[in-house]
Amino acid sequence: MKLNLNIVENKTEYYQLATQYFKNINSDQYENINFDRIIPKSISILIDHDFIPTPCIEIKLELLENQKKTANYFLYLNENKEFIDEFLY
């Protein structure tokens, strides 16, 4: 798998994509999570993982309320920026 070598150059696009996916989650999944801000946190390339197909790109967003972390959202994409999986906790 040839991962995008320009992730650094396109990091804004990756964070926007993760934010878009997060906003499309059924609100029932995060109704108990209070947040007033979404912070782009990190972009990683996963080489080996127990339950996520690898290699892939992991994008992490942090949800804050009153400047305190309330949850994390992880989006996993393949090299073509296609959805693999997502986690909210």
Side-chain angles (χ1 to χ4, degrees), residues 39-50:
I39 303 294
K41 215 46 184 165
S42 66
I43 299 173
S44 305
I45 297 174
L46 292 182
I47 303 299
D48 185 24
H49 198 280
D50 289 341

Side-chain angles (χ1 to χ4, degrees), residues 76-88:
Y76 299 90
L77 303 173
N78 68 14
E79 67 180 320
N80 298 317
K81 299 179 187 168
E82 297 169 333
F83 179 87
I84 294 177
D85 209 343
E86 63 188 350
F87 294 102
L88 175 65

Side-chain angles (χ1 to χ4, degrees), residues 31-73:
E31 67 181 10
N32 295 328
I33 299 173
N34 297 317
F35 66 96
D36 54 21
R37 194 167 169 209
I38 299 172
I39 303 294
K41 215 46 184 165
S42 66
I43 299 173
S44 305
I45 297 174
L46 292 182
I47 303 299
D48 185 24
H49 198 280
D50 289 341
F51 56 90
I52 299 289
T54 58
C56 68
I57 300 166
E58 175 191 74
I59 305 164
K60 178 181 176 183
L61 303 177
E62 195 172 79
L63 308 178
L64 303 177
E65 182 179 41
N66 298 323
Q67 300 183 8
K68 293 182 183 177
K69 183 173 88 168
T70 58
N72 289 313
Y73 172 75

Side-chain angles (χ1 to χ4, degrees), residues 12-40:
T12 302
E13 179 183 348
Y14 281 100
Y15 285 129
Q16 288 173 347
L17 189 57
T19 301
Q20 179 183 5
Y21 270 100
F22 172 73
K23 290 181 177 179
N24 286 330
I25 291 177
N26 183 337
S27 62
D28 292 343
Q29 292 183 12
Y30 62 83
E31 67 181 10
N32 295 328
I33 299 173
N34 297 317
F35 66 96
D36 54 21
R37 194 167 169 209
I38 299 172
I39 303 294

